[in-house]
Amino acid sequence: MTTMLTWQADGRPGLEGTRVHFGPEPAGFRAHGRIVRPDPEGDFTASYSLVVREDGTLGRLSVSSATTGSEKHLTISRTEGFWLFDDGSGSARRDYDGADVGLAFSPLFNALPIRRLNAHRERIDAELPLVFVSLPHLEVTTTRQRYRTVRVAEGNSPAVVEFSWAETRVELEVDADGFVLSYPGLAALVSNERAEPATQG
């Protein structure tokens, strides 16, 4: 199954659009997306390709960003016991705990821990390590994030999951697939176009 997701920035110009292909089950998916952000400090665009393993952990992330003055690229791969970072000028191996990566301005990446923990369907309260990638500079830092289920999804009512990290604390509305519908202060989902796999006659 494949879906196209589009988020509109909250209170300012900006869009994120991504094509998500589900699988392998239960929590794996692949996503190809683009972020466009006019910004007082300089407009930028970014594109990414994300591979999430069946257990919901990061497999690989490739990100490219562009401003009027520069282009940058970064690839992150996660294998058993270590992370590998490559910015085109050489690779570096680092030992980080955890299985999640976050990308600035993108609600798509909250789906990794939400889907892995099943936080939209079961009540959880978990603090997790996070590898965070800034935009447009693609600088990598580590931090902690916390997810706490406020309400599980029922019928047409979305799940509500409290998300906190650094000095941020918000309540995310989350759909039945574990993707963010609303991230107050960041973005809201404005389009979800789904294509079911073709049936064999």
Side-chain angles (χ1 to χ4, degrees):
M1 183 175 65
T2 301
T3 187
M4 290 289 296
L5 304 172
T6 304
W7 289 272
Q8 169 71 54
D10 189 356
R12 59 180 298 176
L15 288 171
E16 176 180 3
T18 188
R19 182 179 189 269
V20 175
H21 179 78
F22 293 91
E25 296 294 339
F29 67 93
R30 290 178 283 124
H32 300 278
R34 179 173 293 276
I35 299 170
V36 180
R37 279 269 176 164
D39 192 278
E41 297 183 4
D43 299 350
F44 70 87
T45 65
S47 60
Y48 59 80
S49 178
L50 172 68
V51 178
V52 179
R53 296 191 182 99
E54 63 184 32
D55 61 356
T57 60
L58 174 71
R60 179 182 175 90
L61 170 65
S62 296
V63 188
S64 297
S65 68
T67 66
T68 55
S70 67
E71 293 184 4
K72 294 181 180 292
H73 308 278
L74 177 67
T75 298
I76 302 175
S77 301
R78 180 179 174 275
T79 61
E80 290 293 333
F82 69 90
W83 298 62
L84 188 65
F85 299 80
D86 190 341
D87 63 2
S89 63
S91 60
R93 174 174 165 168
R94 302 178 189 176
D95 296 323
Y96 288 143
D97 292 331
D100 299 316
V101 64
L103 182 64
F105 304 105
S106 174
L108 180 280
F109 285 77
N110 293 93
L112 275 75
I114 289 173
R115 285 170 56 84
R116 186 178 72 255
L117 298 172
N118 223 17
H120 54 310
R121 297 172 179 162
E122 303 173 1
R123 292 192 175 274
I124 64 97
D125 187 346
E127 183 175 318
L128 309 165
L130 173 70
V131 172
F132 183 76
V133 181
S134 71
L135 286 175
H137 303 297
L138 304 188
E139 295 173 344
V140 176
T141 56
T142 57
T143 185
R144 306 286 297 182
Q145 58 180 347
R146 182 181 179 188
Y147 287 86
R148 181 179 69 87
T149 305
V150 176
R151 182 183 72 208
V152 297
E154 292 184 6
N156 294 326
S157 298
V160 177
V161 179
E162 184 184 81
F163 168 60
S164 56
W165 73 291
E167 298 180 358
T168 298
R169 177 173 293 181
V170 295
E171 288 191 352
L172 309 175
E173 289 191 353
V174 179
D175 71 10
D177 294 316
F179 292 94
V180 170
L181 296 169
S182 174
Y183 186 139
L186 181 65
L189 190 72
V190 294
S191 178
N192 182 347
E193 181 180 348
R194 178 164 299 190
E196 299 290 345
T199 58
Q200 298 294 323

